[in-house]
Amino acid sequence: SALQRRSSFENSLPAVCGPEKEASRSSLRLAAWALQNNLYYPRGNMRRWGSVPAKVYFPFIWGWDTAQHVIGLSEWNPRRAGDVLITQLDGSCRSSSRSLFKLKVKGITIIGSSQHNQVPSKIDDTLCGVANFYSQPPLQSWAALYVYERLAEQEEKRKFLQDVLPPLKENLRWWEENRRLPNGFFSYLNGLESGLDDSPRFYPPSFLPSFIIGIVPRFFAAVDLNCWIFQAYLNTAYLSVQAGLSEEAESFIKRCNELKKKINEELWSFEHEAWLDRRNGKFIEVLTPAIWWPASVPR
């Protein structure tokens, strides 16, 4: 029965580009089966399906993991993928609309009560944040774009935009209010918020594990984060146009273009021929995959 169920699922998957490559088909099947088996039926305070990286080791709805799950799931089930994304965004709406207290350093909120427009780094099936003093890269608008384009029915598209656009816009405002430096660039609170944990961009080599060293606050213009915010502005503008909100879309496009100009003018290092993070007006001369993020960020 289990083999029959798995075979039926695999046969429903879309064709892989290059059908002559058996390895590609095998990889797709394994990846799709992993995503499918890490779905959670609605439980706790969940109104819809959810997705976790691994039910055994990582049984939480994680900040940027979930958005990437959604993109994969949307290949064969955009409706289910949309449910997974909205479940995560529901978790950002359960806290108070106003933070009761805040402590800011260089424009970055390092201590503060959770806000309803923040997408926590992880939530559980109560849809409440776990270690919610930090977030993760805002990939939700990227995932929403894939879901919207892959939904077949116009009524489904309309309903999806109605559900997903408000929290996407509110989350962008959270980043602007809590993670923007005085120089206009966006900064992670710490390495864990980046999703890259103890990357050498953030911390010098250390014997401490990432879940400890990654909590230490670091304030700098992060190349990848500013690209993700650029992409979020652009995607939210597109979705706003699809929803008939052209004036709101223009506002996002304006902010998108302003940030793009700053990235190219102030984060490009002619000496290294790459984009680099900056702290206190100086480049962080550590070469990681982030050095070409502006050229490769999906949009």
Side-chain angles (χ1 to χ4, degrees):
S1 176
L3 287 172
Q4 185 177 8
R5 181 166 60 91
R6 178 167 181 166
S7 177
S8 176
F9 170 74
E10 289 180 345
N11 291 335
S12 71
L13 295 174
V16 183
C17 294
E20 73 285 355
K21 297 182 179 179
E22 180 58 33
S24 297
R25 287 197 294 269
S26 176
S27 295
L28 172 66
R29 290 167 181 165
L30 288 171
W33 192 242
L35 285 174
Q36 189 75 4
N37 278 280
N38 282 309
L39 288 170
Y40 269 117
Y41 187 77
R43 52 187 281 177
N45 290 327
M46 296 163 56
R47 298 180 296 122
R48 309 175 189 231
W49 287 75
S51 176
V52 300
K55 288 179 178 176
V56 176
Y57 299 106
F58 301 100
F60 295 102
I61 298 171
W62 286 81
W64 73 332
D65 297 60
T66 297
Q68 296 175 68
H69 300 170
V70 167
I71 292 170
L73 289 166
S74 70
E75 289 273 2
W76 65 87
N77 195 337
R79 184 181 300 172
R80 179 68 46 78
D83 281 352
V84 169
L85 180 59
I86 291 169
T87 293
Q88 182 184 44
L89 294 175
D90 279 349
S92 71
C93 300
R94 299 187 67 82
S95 300
S96 171
S97 60
R98 296 184 62 185
S99 182
L100 300 179
F101 63 94
K102 274 187 183 182
L103 174 60
K104 285 192 171 188
V105 176
K106 298 182 180 180
I108 309 301
T109 302
I110 61 170
I111 299 177
S113 57
S114 180
Q115 294 177 265
H116 83 292
N117 52 357
Q118 173 190 353
V119 176
S121 61
K122 57 182 176 179
I123 58 177
D124 56 21
D125 56 18
T126 68
L127 299 187
C128 292
V130 180
N132 59 1
F133 61 92
Y134 65 94
S135 187
Q136 280 194 330
L139 275 62
Q140 285 71 31
S141 66
W142 182 31
L145 190 66
Y146 275 93
V147 172
Y148 176 79
E149 292 292 342
R150 288 170 173 167
L151 286 170
E153 303 294 332
Q154 287 302 316
E155 179 58 24
E156 283 184 316
K157 289 176 177 279
R158 185 198 65 79
K159 182 64 169 61
F160 177 69
L161 288 179
Q162 183 181 357
D163 290 336
V164 82
L165 263 176
L168 288 180
K169 294 173 183 176
E170 290 175 355
N171 183 238
L172 272 172
R173 187 169 71 250
W174 180 85
W175 283 95
E176 291 170 342
E177 293 176 352
N178 295 278
R179 295 293 186 267
R180 186 154 57 184
L181 297 164
N183 62 12
F185 280 114
F186 292 86
S187 171
Y188 294 118
L189 170 62
N190 53 32
L192 291 179
E193 187 160 79
S194 74
L196 304 175
D197 299 353
D198 53 355
S199 169
R201 298 165 55 207
F202 310 132
Y203 309 104
S206 172
F207 65 90
L208 294 172
S210 62
F211 62 86
I212 294 179
I213 191 67
I215 295 176
V216 178
R218 304 293 281 174
F219 309 120
F220 63 95
V223 171
D224 52 343
L225 174 58
N226 283 277
C227 289
W228 288 127
I229 299 289
F230 159 83
Q231 182 206 43
Y233 283 144
L234 194 62
N235 291 339
T236 306
Y238 172 79
L239 294 172
S240 296
V241 169
Q242 302 308 307
L245 304 171
S246 56
E247 290 187 7
E248 290 189 25
E250 289 177 6
S251 173
F252 288 118
I253 289 294
K254 181 181 178 182
R255 283 177 272 177
C256 168
N257 290 334
E258 290 172 350
L259 185 55
K260 176 182 177 180
K261 183 179 179 182
K262 284 183 65 66
I263 291 170
N264 284 328
E265 290 182 354
E266 301 179 42
L267 299 185
W268 175 259
S269 168
F270 286 96
E271 178 184 353
H272 297 86
E273 297 184 333
W275 288 273
L276 294 177
D277 308 312
R278 295 190 77 150
R279 180 186 293 120
N280 299 325
K282 297 180 180 180
F283 287 120
I284 300 175
E285 298 180 347
V286 178
L287 304 184
T288 71
I291 65 173
W292 276 92
W293 219 273
S296 61
V297 65
R299 56 186 182 270

